[in-house]
Amino acid sequence: SQQADLYQKTAMPIVDSVLDGFNGTIFAYGQTGTGKTFSMEGVNEPPELRGIIPRAFTQIFDRISSRAGDSTEFLVRASYLEIYNEEVRDLLARNALNKLELKEDPSTG
């Protein structure tokens, strides 16, 4: 499917790097109505239409399951931010309508 192809070509290498200990960011940018939300979220059914986010979580937790042991611990952190009209929101927060404060240093940007 197109969603699977998109994931394998763009996001999978980033998630692989994250699983190797690096930071990773997947950023969807474009005009309103161009499919950013569909690319990132998709729909749950049918599975072929799942987007980058659910596929990334599947990849992450499959890797954790394959490496899990009695003495192994994993910490998974994720952010899902929306930047719209220069306002930033954390879409995973309890109240996703709360704006995050955007800080800027006049000398360094």
Side-chain angles (χ1 to χ4, degrees):
S1 77
Q2 290 181 347
Q3 290 284 67
D5 292 341
L6 174 68
Y7 184 77
Q8 289 171 357
K9 291 177 183 172
T10 61
M12 185 179 281
I14 295 169
V15 175
D16 282 335
S17 292
V18 167
L19 292 167
D20 289 334
F22 297 93
N23 291 326
T25 300
I26 300 171
F27 193 86
Y29 176 82
Q31 293 180 321
T32 300
T34 57
K36 297 176 299 297
T37 300
F38 183 75
S39 294
M40 294 301 288
E41 297 177 6
V43 294
N44 210 25
E45 292 296 330
E48 299 83 40
L49 296 181
R50 290 182 183 150
I52 289 171
I53 293 169
R55 290 173 190 272
F57 277 105
T58 297
Q59 181 180 351
I60 291 165
F61 287 105
D62 284 350
R63 176 84 69 91
I64 288 171
S65 293
S66 71
R67 293 186 178 179
D70 292 338
S71 63
T72 306
E73 289 186 26
F74 295 90
L75 172 64
V76 177
R77 292 185 186 158
S79 300
Y80 185 23
L81 303 178
E82 174 186 62
I83 305 169
Y84 184 73
N85 286 335
E86 297 187 25
E87 293 180 356
V88 181
R89 291 187 174 85
D90 181 351
L91 299 178
L92 298 178
R94 286 193 173 118
N95 184 355
L97 297 177
N98 288 345
K99 296 177 201 165
L100 298 176
E101 186 177 342
L102 186 60
K103 298 181 180 182
E104 185 174 337
D105 184 312
S107 62
T108 59

